[in-house]
Amino acid sequence: AKVQEGFWREKIGRNKKRDERNISDLLEKGWNVIVIGECATKSKSPDDIEGLLDKIEADIKTNKSELIIHEG
């Protein structure tokens, strides 16, 4: 179990670094970036999804360069 735990910690760490690098590259190129974690949408009610869409719409209207939504 410890070996698998170490494997997953390393894999998740690499994935986070990759994501940060990709987001940074996109921002440098002038893109607006919105990252939505699976937990922000999985098993959510229609009202919750509507609230998430409202957040995204507000972000787009204010032209923020980065919005990251990870909700548990």
Side-chain angles (χ1 to χ4, degrees):
K2 288 287 184 185
V3 174
Q4 289 180 344
E5 181 180 323
F7 168 81
W8 286 109
R9 285 185 192 273
E10 289 180 25
K11 179 172 178 49
I12 290 169
R14 287 191 311 267
N15 289 352
K16 285 182 179 182
K17 287 180 183 177
R18 180 205 60 216
D19 292 345
E20 289 170 3
R21 186 176 58 249
N22 289 340
I23 289 168
S24 179
D25 289 347
L26 289 168
L27 292 171
E28 286 177 19
K29 293 176 181 176
W31 284 83
N32 292 339
V33 177
I34 298 173
V35 178
I36 301 171
E38 179 182 355
C39 58
T41 59
K42 190 174 184 179
S43 302
K44 299 293 183 180
S45 72
D47 286 342
D48 291 337
I49 299 297
E50 187 68 33
L52 177 60
L53 293 173
D54 289 343
K55 287 181 186 179
I56 294 168
E57 181 180 16
D59 179 75
I60 291 169
K61 286 182 177 178
T62 59
N63 201 26
K64 293 172 90 178
S65 61
E66 181 176 2
L67 172 68
I68 299 178
I69 300 172
H70 294 281
E71 298 175 356

